[in-house]
Amino acid sequence: MKTLFVFVVLAIAAAAGYGAWYVGTPVSIRQYPVEVEIPRGAGFRAALEQLERSGVGVRPYEFEILARAMGRVRNIKAGSYEISRSEEH
């Protein structure tokens, strides 16, 4: 029983560490500026697919887990978006 408890604690710590790393790692973008069109009625996964096709390197599985944990999956808005390089380095 003690071994199982230690394993569960280590698994939770590893997941938390990975989550912290994922949140702190910048998203890779092939070329700036990036234009993304989210069509009306598109769901969360469809929006993620549009981001990937546009050259935004999101990890869909991890991004979806993060969005669900934050309660933001339903906050997707249709429209045209442009992602430009930040002037801060």
Side-chain angles (χ1 to χ4, degrees):
M1 190 68 158
K2 186 176 179 180
T3 304
L4 178 61
F5 177 74
V6 170
F7 178 74
V8 169
V9 168
L10 288 175
I12 291 171
Y18 181 76
W21 172 81
Y22 179 75
V23 169
T25 303
V27 174
S28 66
I29 296 178
R30 283 185 273 177
Q31 183 177 354
Y32 288 97
V34 175
E35 294 183 15
V36 180
E37 177 74 30
I38 307 295
R40 185 176 304 275
F44 184 79
R45 289 185 179 148
L48 280 178
E49 289 174 10
Q50 286 296 111
L51 282 171
E52 286 185 303
R53 277 190 236 130
S54 298
V56 179
V58 294
R59 292 183 176 99
Y61 181 73
E62 290 92 335
F63 194 83
E64 184 172 354
I65 289 172
L66 178 63
R68 288 189 186 283
M70 295 176 68
R72 302 295 175 110
V73 172
R74 298 196 183 275
N75 291 15
I76 299 299
K77 305 290 185 211
S80 296
Y81 298 90
E82 182 176 305
I83 303 169
S84 57
R85 184 179 298 271
S86 172
E87 297 301 321
E88 299 176 22
H89 292 281

